[in-house]
């Protein structure tokens, strides 16, 4: 459990805490939510078991997050995923009456998130430019504007805006790892992997906990439901 600068305790939920809660209340879950939570917790457990291997932990935390939010979408591109993130975050923040997401972002990791978002190596237009994709010569201008939006969101304490920008960056890092665009345990991207893993380790359990607390909310149909043939 971490302590915020204000003195308020920030609960760091872990797999065993959430699994115990799931067992107590899962009979109240609709089938689709039950499947989401079951899958999400299984990968959260695996992420915690990979402690000490940040690359593996990050990937497993991301799969856990993916199990929580993913639905079938017509646009599977970066922008389609971003739209899915935004809708999911909107629902979570609306239900987060105790401001747990706010506390993680604004009290637990403000400096880490600031450094993370100021890192051009996890900014998608930077890589578009370096891969000679047309239309991205202005990546530096886009980057500067993105940082300006981030600072505005900080000033306005816009949790959803920060979450969306943060997960834009995390998604690029996810792609680098999953698609073989990075070396395992490489010193080149070590800081962003470590920070990304720590941030996901706090946020993903809170996301799942909020979903379990709100079983009547429409969390969507899982992308790959169980099919009995």
């Amino acid at each position: 459990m971490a302590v915020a600068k204000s003195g308020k305790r920030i609960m760091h939920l872990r797999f065993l805490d959430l699994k115990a809660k799931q067992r107590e209340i899962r009979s109240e879950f609709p089938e689709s939510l039950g499947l989401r939570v079951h899958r999400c917790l299984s990968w959260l457990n695996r992420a915690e078991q990979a402690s000490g291997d940040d690359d593996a932990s990050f990937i497993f935390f991301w799969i856990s997050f993916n199990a929580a939010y993913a639905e079938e979408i017509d646009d599977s591109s970066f922008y389609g995923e971003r739209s899915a993130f935004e809708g999911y975050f909107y629902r979570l923040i609306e239900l987060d009456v105790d401001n747990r997401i706010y506390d993680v972002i604004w009290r637990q990791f403000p400096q880490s998130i600031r450094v993370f978002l100021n890192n051009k190596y996890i900014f998608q237009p930077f890589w578009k430019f370096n891969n000679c994709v047309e239309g991205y010569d202005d990546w530096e201008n886009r980057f500067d504007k993105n940082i300006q939006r981030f600072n505005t969101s900080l000033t306005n304490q816009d949790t959803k805006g920060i979450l969306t920008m943060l997960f834009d960056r995390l998604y690029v890092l996810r792609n680098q790892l999953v698609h073989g665009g990075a070396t395992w345990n490489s010193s080149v991207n070590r800081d962003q992997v470590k920070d990304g893993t720590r941030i996901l380790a706090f946020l993903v359990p809170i996301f799942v906990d909020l979903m379990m607390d709100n079983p009547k909310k429409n969390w969507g149909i899982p992308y790959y439901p169980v099919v009995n043939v």
Side-chain angles (χ1 to χ4, degrees), residues 70-125:
E71 300 180 55
E72 185 171 5
I73 54 177
D74 294 332
D75 181 4
S76 60
S77 68
F78 171 80
Y79 298 102
E81 290 289 344
R82 192 180 197 277
S83 177
F85 292 169
E86 287 184 323
Y88 179 64
F89 294 151
Y90 180 83
R91 293 196 296 274
L92 288 173
I93 292 168
E94 183 182 39
L95 298 167
D96 186 17
V97 294
D98 294 323
N99 296 319
R100 288 185 290 167
I101 297 172
Y102 172 93
D103 286 335
V104 170
I105 290 177
W106 304 103
R107 304 180 192 278
Q108 180 66 16
F109 293 113
Q111 188 57 34
S112 293
I113 290 174
R114 185 184 293 276
V115 172
F116 200 81
L117 289 172
N118 275 278
N119 187 335
K120 67 183 180 182
Y121 297 107
I122 45 176
F123 183 61
Q124 186 68 17

Side-chain angles (χ1 to χ4, degrees), residues 49-80:
Q49 291 175 26
S51 176
D53 184 341
D54 290 318
D55 294 300
S57 290
F58 181 92
I59 291 169
F60 293 135
F61 277 125
W62 187 273
I63 297 173
S64 182
F65 167 63
N66 225 126
Y69 87 87
E71 300 180 55
E72 185 171 5
I73 54 177
D74 294 332
D75 181 4
S76 60
S77 68
F78 171 80
Y79 298 102

Side-chain angles (χ1 to χ4, degrees), residues 24 31 46 61 68 74 80 83 85 88 142 151 165 169 180 185 199 206 213 224 228:
E24 289 182 2
E31 184 178 354
R46 186 63 186 87
F61 277 125
D74 294 332
S83 177
F85 292 169
Y88 179 64
R142 296 186 189 209
N151 289 329
M165 285 184 277
R169 299 291 207 280
N185 203 32
I199 292 166
I206 293 174
D213 284 343
Y224 293 101
N228 296 315

Side-chain angles (χ1 to χ4, degrees), residues 32-202:
S32 58
L33 177 62
L35 181 58
R36 281 193 185 280
V37 171
H38 174 71
R39 288 173 171 172
C40 189
L41 292 182
S42 72
W43 288 106
L44 183 63
N45 184 29
R46 186 63 186 87
E48 292 180 3
Q49 291 175 26
S51 176
D53 184 341
D54 290 318
D55 294 300
S57 290
F58 181 92
I59 291 169
F60 293 135
F61 277 125
W62 187 273
I63 297 173
S64 182
F65 167 63
N66 225 126
Y69 87 87
E71 300 180 55
E72 185 171 5
I73 54 177
D74 294 332
D75 181 4
S76 60
S77 68
F78 171 80
Y79 298 102
E81 290 289 344
R82 192 180 197 277
S83 177
F85 292 169
E86 287 184 323
Y88 179 64
F89 294 151
Y90 180 83
R91 293 196 296 274
L92 288 173
I93 292 168
E94 183 182 39
L95 298 167
D96 186 17
V97 294
D98 294 323
N99 296 319
R100 288 185 290 167
I101 297 172
Y102 172 93
D103 286 335
V104 170
I105 290 177
W106 304 103
R107 304 180 192 278
Q108 180 66 16
F109 293 113
Q111 188 57 34
S112 293
I113 290 174
R114 185 184 293 276
V115 172
F116 200 81
L117 289 172
N118 275 278
N119 187 335
K120 67 183 180 182
Y121 297 107
I122 45 176
F123 183 61
Q124 186 68 17
F126 170 79
W127 292 111
K128 293 282 191 181
F129 169 74
N130 279 275
N131 288 323
C132 301
V133 177
E134 290 186 8
Y136 288 90
D137 290 346
D138 64 341
W139 77 265
E140 290 177 293
N141 184 48
R142 296 186 189 209
F143 186 69
D144 290 342
K145 287 183 177 179
N146 191 264
I147 297 303
Q148 289 172 15
R149 285 197 298 273
F150 165 63
N151 289 329
T152 299
S153 293
L154 277 178
T155 300
N156 296 333
Q157 296 190 346
D158 176 10
T159 302
K160 180 176 144 326
I162 293 293
L163 268 182
T164 301
M165 285 184 277
L166 174 62
F167 275 79
D168 281 352
R169 299 291 207 280
L170 288 167
Y171 186 71
V172 176
L173 183 56
R174 171 259 188 206
N175 287 346
Q176 290 175 353
L177 294 173
V178 171
H179 296 298
T183 304
W184 172 76
N185 203 32
S186 170
S187 60
V188 174
N189 64 347
R190 197 59 4 214
D191 288 342
Q192 55 257 44
V193 173
K194 283 182 178 294
D195 283 342
T197 300
R198 289 175 61 237
I199 292 166
L200 287 176
F202 262 84

